[in-house]
Amino acid sequence: MKLFVNLLLEWQDGTDIARIERLLWIDPSYTDVAIIELLNPKALPTWQKCKDLEEALETQRAHALEIDPYASLLKPEDTIPEKHRERRDQAWDIIAPLVEDKDERIFFSHGRGALLNAWVEKTGCTKMTLYKYLRRYWQGGQTRNALLPLFSKCGAPGKERQSHGKKRGRPNKISQVTQMPVGVNVDDKIREKFSRGIRQFYENAQGRTLQDAFQRTLEKSFHKGYTLSPDGVLIPCLPPAHELPTFGQFRYWYEKERDITHALTSREGKRRYNLRHREVLGDSTQMAFGPGSIYQIDATIGDIYLVSSLDRTRIIGRPVIYVLIDVFSRMITGLSVTLEGPSWLGAMQALENAAVDKVEFCQEYGVEITEEDWPCHHLSEVIIADRGELEGYNADNLVKALNVTVSNTPPYRADWKGIIERNFRLSNDKVIHWTPGAVYKPRERGENDYRLDAVLDLHQFRKLMILAILDHNKEHRMDWYRMDEFMIQEHVEPYPLDLWNWGIRNRAGHLRIKSRDILRLNLLPSEQASVTYRGIRFQGLFYSCDLALREQWFVRARERSSWKIDVAYDPRSLTDIYLRLDGGQRLERCQLIDAEHTFRGRDLYETLDYLETRKQQKELSRSRKQQSSAALNAQMEQIINEGKEQTSTALEQVTGQSKRSRIKGIRPNRQEERDMEREAQAWKLGEKLLPDHSGKVIPLIVPTEASAPEPSKDAEESQQEVSAAEPIAHQEDSTHVSQSQLIEKLHKLRPKMWSDDE
């Protein structure tokens, strides 16, 4: 191996300390070479034979180093501080004549001393300084920058200062005046108190300042005792300030020893740290290989108030905006503007819009475009959402039937889908904030209410968003977009539409196309319904379809039992529900039966609200029913007890009557009771009702003169018997004669009266 100047040789002599030498000079005959040890602070040049060094390299007793430890000194001039350059140039002016004239005497020990002595007399510099400059020049690679001051090595970096009984650090203001050391040195005990105070008062969610944490640390760990205030509170007694550590010392040791990740996480929480303070080393674009690889979807509440299209004097609030954006090209592929809260319904409409023909969609709002202006009518391979609407059973159909993978970000990690989050901000800055009715910062007292400025209805706002999306796709230049080598070669401009078209030509195969009906069927939310003999029962309503009638589902449900089926429904109308057949590739529409005509065209939530109200009313009626049952039971109990008492009294008055005789007389007793009921309940026209002595109303028959018959002798006698019985009834009533006895007397008189009438 050939030798050359500044070559570094490391000797393999078996010692623990490496011995590295630098070649300083080779004589023209290639016989001798001057070398110097690199790590020896007192090293001077020595001479070796060239052949000995070459032999050592060949036998591997030494090997050449490729990396020079002094290579960091070779840096541009504009990166070197001016004061450092001044010191370097000053040292160089002193030794430059010694090293630039290539006088080999400087490398020989017997001639170097005389040469340096003469130079000391000429420059006035000490011999020790000359040796220091020459040694740094030779060991540092024989360049001018080898003389740069090594301030980074000053002060024992990385080692803690020892006090040795003196106050370390900058003198206190009082010390500068009194010339007396003031303050304390921070030792291990004080540092432990600092650490404990930091953990207890600063690195937590309370949000104290470092100054406040320092004060609390002094009160907690540096007090000498307590005093008792008049109201019984213990107040810590602190030593004089010059006997306490300063806030500067507290801050110094905190910043020296702190773990910044742990500190930010402790003060702001893991969620806020990940969102605002974590390192950002990746790029979302790298996740997508081409158009349709990944869509990001998210919703936001528009910062604008709208008016009703039916009555423009009515303010209807703020719309909910859903947007789908292609990660590869930043192309906005789907839009939904509704009044529904952030829900599956809004996400469903945005996904459906991503797959429809945009020319027809824009024509609905009076915007004329061509296919080339917005060539997006597809679903993607992957959709990234935020654990909201696209998590759960509704999103399963995207995976199973439509072959779209759904990936949800962790909670509170909006930065994982920062592309669409940033797009919302661009939409607000470009469109919404300049529109009447836009939401501004909180109103101050006396300012106009921006809600009263609303002028756009929902249809007009959708048109405004369509125009903004078209402008974004065609004119939003992304100079920060990281082009790959193939894009650079083809001079692709960083516009979403240009990137989309380039990706379609060069990286196709990721987009999905489905018919509109199948897409809508698999986007509609699903739930289970029951097949019963009354129909397909869903949300308390009953449906029927041709398939169920052909296959006699309802007859089978009545013969056997009901069973469950999966149905899809549109929450905006309960008139129809849909059966998914053949794995979601075919549908069967079910309609409300005629008995449920009240709910046709009704909203799901309106119907559920009505049914829930009925349940609540039923629950509230429990008190009424219970109270009514209690009243009925009490009245029944009273009547039953009254009957028991009267029957018991009657049985006590009748003696010698056996049980058999009572049972044997049921038929005649029934006949007698029926006859009496017929008489009492018979309709008698022309009679007047008069109250009797007990307050009861009794009929009084008033015959006419023409039709009144002459009373017979037997009738007169019967009437006299009845009249004679009246005083007895009054007498018995006055002595509380039971009602059963009166009835018995009337029974005995009735046959005779009937015979007289005949």
Side-chain angles (χ1 to χ4, degrees):
M1 178 180 179
K2 280 303 255 190
L3 303 179
F4 53 87
V5 175
N6 282 333
L7 176 67
L8 294 178
L9 298 177
E10 182 178 12
W11 293 89
Q12 308 293 332
D13 50 10
T15 59
D16 294 337
I17 301 176
R19 183 164 66 93
I20 302 175
E21 295 178 341
R22 184 188 295 277
L23 274 64
L24 300 178
W25 187 77
I26 302 174
D27 69 354
S29 63
Y30 200 73
T31 303
D32 298 315
V33 59
I35 61 175
I36 188 172
E37 284 190 45
L38 209 63
L39 304 179
N40 187 352
K42 297 182 179 181
L44 290 174
T46 59
W47 288 88
Q48 294 280 350
K49 295 294 185 181
C50 290
K51 62 179 182 178
D52 294 339
L53 296 181
E54 291 177 346
E55 181 182 356
L57 290 172
E58 292 176 0
T59 59
Q60 296 186 355
R61 288 187 297 111
H63 72 276
L65 299 180
E66 297 180 0
I67 299 177
D68 192 336
Y70 290 93
S72 60
L73 296 175
L74 304 177
K75 48 189 175 182
E77 284 291 298
D78 55 354
T79 63
I80 303 175
E82 182 179 356
K83 291 184 178 181
H84 292 202
R85 294 199 302 267
E86 291 177 357
R87 287 176 174 265
R88 178 201 63 187
D89 296 340
Q90 182 181 1
W92 174 251
D93 292 340
I94 294 175
I95 67 170
L98 298 175
V99 297
E100 282 186 336
D101 59 1
K102 304 299 181 182
D103 189 350
E104 63 181 44
R105 291 182 302 166
I106 195 69
F107 300 115
F108 289 96
S109 58
H110 57 273
R112 185 170 48 241
L115 184 62
L116 294 182
N117 288 333
W119 198 248
V120 167
E121 294 180 359
K122 184 177 181 180
T123 60
C125 181
T126 64
K127 197 173 186 179
M128 183 179 297
T129 301
L130 284 176
Y131 273 114
K132 181 180 71 172
Y133 289 160
L134 289 172
R135 187 178 294 114
R136 285 176 55 189
Y137 175 77
W138 289 329
Q139 292 177 337
Q142 302 185 95
T143 64
R144 182 179 301 190
N145 281 356
L147 299 174
L148 286 171
L150 304 178
F151 291 149
S152 59
K153 296 183 179 181
C154 297
K159 297 181 180 179
E160 294 184 6
R161 309 301 191 269
Q162 302 299 323
S163 62
H164 303 295
K166 295 182 179 180
K167 174 67 174 68
R168 299 190 301 265
R170 182 177 55 194
N172 188 281
K173 296 293 184 182
I174 300 177
S175 299
Q176 297 176 2
V177 177
T178 62
Q179 302 300 320
M180 297 292 293
V182 176
V184 296
N185 287 316
V186 177
D187 54 18
D188 293 339
K189 292 182 179 180
I190 294 179
R191 286 171 56 188
E192 176 60 29
K193 293 179 180 180
F194 283 174
S195 300
R196 190 164 56 246
I198 288 293
R199 292 193 301 269
Q200 186 174 358
F201 301 114
Y202 188 70
E203 291 182 350
N204 52 45
Q206 297 177 357
R208 288 192 178 95
T209 64
L210 192 63
Q211 180 73 53
D212 190 19
F214 170 67
Q215 178 64 29
R216 297 297 183 98
T217 303
L218 294 181
E219 298 170 2
K220 182 73 175 180
S221 303
F222 290 89
H223 65 83
K224 296 188 298 183
Y226 296 93
T227 60
L228 193 63
S229 67
D231 54 355
V233 178
L234 291 176
I235 300 176
C237 295
L238 297 178
H242 65 271
E243 298 179 9
L244 292 171
T246 64
F247 173 67
Q249 291 173 314
F250 182 79
R251 181 175 56 194
Y252 168 80
W253 285 106
Y254 167 67
E255 294 177 351
K256 180 179 177 64
E257 298 181 346
R258 73 167 174 168
D259 181 345
I260 187 169
T261 299
H262 174 74
L264 291 172
T265 304
S266 300
R267 287 179 61 82
E268 302 195 24
K270 187 72 174 178
R271 174 178 62 88
R272 193 179 295 271
Y273 169 79
N274 288 330
L275 189 62
R276 299 185 178 182
H277 302 288
R278 69 173 181 89
E279 66 279 1
V280 181
L281 305 178
D283 183 8
S284 298
T285 310
Q286 299 174 1
M287 301 166 57
F289 181 75
S293 293
I294 301 176
Y295 283 177
Q296 289 185 5
I297 183 173
D298 201 7
T300 187
I301 298 178
D303 292 338
I304 187 173
Y305 280 82
L306 303 179
V307 298
S308 171
S309 59
L310 301 176
D311 182 359
R312 303 191 73 88
T313 64
R314 296 169 51 198
I315 301 174
I316 61 174
R318 298 162 64 181
V320 178
I321 306 172
Y322 271 90
V323 170
L324 271 85
I325 190 168
D326 177 57
V327 171
F328 173 80
S329 63
R330 304 304 198 270
M331 188 89 158
I332 296 178
T333 60
L335 170 69
S336 169
V337 181
T338 68
L339 297 179
E340 304 286 345
S343 62
W344 172 255
L345 185 59
M348 176 183 74
Q349 294 184 56
L351 290 168
E352 189 261 353
N353 179 260
V356 301
D357 184 6
K358 298 303 189 297
V359 177
E360 297 179 2
F361 170 68
C362 292
Q363 284 178 350
E364 296 177 9
Y365 296 91
V367 179
E368 297 294 333
I369 64 171
T370 62
E371 174 69 18
E372 291 74 19
D373 293 329
W374 198 355
C376 306
H377 47 86
H378 319 82
L379 292 176
S380 63
E381 285 184 333
V382 180
I383 294 178
I384 296 180
D386 57 359
R387 299 178 62 89
E389 304 80 6
L390 268 68
E391 185 177 45
Y393 182 77
N394 290 328
D396 291 347
N397 292 322
L398 287 174
V399 179
K400 298 175 182 178
L402 302 179
N403 195 26
V404 175
T405 302
V406 177
S407 178
N408 284 292
T409 61
Y412 309 109
R413 294 304 303 274
D415 54 316
W416 281 30
K417 49 183 182 62
I419 294 175
I420 197 165
E421 298 287 347
R422 175 58 182 166
N423 179 264
F424 283 139
R425 182 177 175 184
L426 289 174
S427 299
N428 283 334
D429 294 343
K430 185 181 295 185
V431 179
I432 296 179
H433 284 174
W434 308 104
T435 306
V439 177
Y440 294 101
K441 61 182 180 180
R443 292 187 304 114
E444 296 184 3
R445 190 172 184 179
E447 290 185 345
N448 293 331
D449 193 339
Y450 49 75
R451 293 173 293 187
L452 299 176
D453 297 333
V455 296
L456 299 181
D457 60 24
L458 197 59
H459 186 278
Q460 293 169 332
F461 182 72
R462 287 192 183 119
K463 182 176 181 180
L464 194 66
M465 291 300 300
I466 290 173
L467 295 175
I469 289 174
L470 293 173
D471 179 76
H472 167 87
N473 291 342
K474 295 176 65 176
E475 305 299 337
H476 179 55
R477 184 176 180 85
M478 302 173 292
D479 292 318
W480 42 265
Y481 188 91
R482 297 183 180 179
M483 300 280 188
D484 62 21
E485 56 180 326
F486 305 104
M487 296 179 184
I488 295 174
Q489 292 173 2
E490 297 188 23
H491 306 286
V492 179
E493 292 294 328
Y495 295 98
L497 185 58
D498 294 350
L499 293 170
W500 175 277
N501 292 332
W502 183 89
I504 293 296
R505 293 193 304 269
N506 297 276
R507 296 182 180 178
H510 307 282
L511 298 171
R512 305 281 189 268
I513 295 180
K514 290 288 182 181
S515 68
R516 192 166 190 172
D517 284 345
I518 297 301
L519 176 63
R520 288 181 172 181
L521 175 65
N522 289 279
L523 287 177
L524 290 175
S526 298
E527 283 192 21
Q528 284 193 329
S530 299
V531 179
T532 69
Y533 70 94
R534 297 180 60 190
I536 301 174
R537 188 176 188 275
F538 175 70
Q539 299 292 357
L541 305 178
F542 292 93
Y543 297 81
S544 178
C545 64
D546 293 338
L547 177 65
L549 294 175
R550 288 196 310 269
E551 298 184 358
Q552 303 181 25
W553 287 7
F554 310 135
V555 178
R556 284 192 290 160
R558 187 161 194 173
E559 181 183 359
R560 302 173 186 175
S561 62
S562 61
W563 67 89
K564 300 287 187 181
I565 58 172
D566 291 329
V567 298
Y569 66 96
D570 192 336
R572 295 164 293 188
S573 174
L574 282 182
T575 303
D576 301 315
I577 61 175
Y578 306 92
L579 302 179
R580 288 195 181 99
L581 306 175
D582 299 338
Q585 301 305 311
R586 186 166 64 88
L587 63 89
E588 179 76 19
R589 188 177 70 167
C590 303
Q591 294 181 311
L592 278 171
I593 62 176
D594 293 338
E596 303 283 9
H597 65 88
T598 305
F599 298 97
R600 284 183 179 162
R602 301 296 180 183
D603 183 90
L604 169 66
Y605 306 108
E606 181 182 5
T607 304
L608 293 179
D609 181 68
Y610 167 73
L611 296 176
E612 184 63 26
T613 302
R614 288 183 56 183
K615 292 180 182 179
Q616 295 175 1
Q617 291 174 349
K618 181 179 179 181
E619 184 68 21
L620 293 174
S621 68
R622 288 176 55 191
S623 300
R624 178 178 176 180
K625 181 179 179 181
Q626 291 171 350
Q627 184 61 42
S628 176
S629 298
L632 176 61
N633 293 335
Q635 293 173 353
M636 290 174 58
E637 191 71 24
Q638 180 183 3
I639 296 173
I640 293 172
N641 291 336
E642 183 180 351
K644 288 181 178 179
E645 181 182 354
Q646 293 175 357
T647 304
S648 177
T649 303
L651 290 174
E652 290 176 357
Q653 293 178 356
V654 179
T655 58
Q657 187 178 13
S658 65
K659 296 180 180 179
R660 181 174 178 79
S661 62
R662 289 188 66 195
I663 296 174
K664 188 176 181 181
I666 289 179
R667 185 180 295 274
N669 293 341
R670 178 183 178 88
Q671 180 66 35
E672 184 180 358
E673 189 73 18
R674 184 175 61 206
D675 294 341
M676 185 186 69
E677 283 292 317
R678 286 178 176 176
E679 177 65 21
Q681 299 295 332
W683 294 347
K684 297 177 181 180
L685 304 179
E687 65 180 6
K688 296 183 178 180
L689 301 180
L690 297 175
D692 64 358
H693 64 277
S694 63
K696 296 182 179 179
V697 177
I698 59 174
L700 176 63
I701 300 176
V702 183
T704 61
E705 295 180 355
S707 62
E710 291 291 334
S712 63
K713 183 177 180 180
D714 293 336
E716 291 178 355
E717 292 178 357
S718 299
Q719 184 66 31
Q720 291 175 358
E721 291 179 1
V722 172
S723 301
E726 289 182 356
I728 297 175
H730 284 287
Q731 183 180 359
E732 290 178 352
D733 183 73
S734 61
T735 58
H736 191 65
V737 179
S738 65
Q739 185 178 1
S740 61
Q741 295 175 348
L742 294 175
I743 294 174
E744 186 177 356
K745 292 179 180 293
L746 291 174
H747 286 176
K748 293 178 180 179
L749 292 173
R750 184 182 297 137
K752 186 176 182 180
M753 295 175 65
W754 285 356
S755 62
D756 293 341
D757 291 339
E758 294 176 356

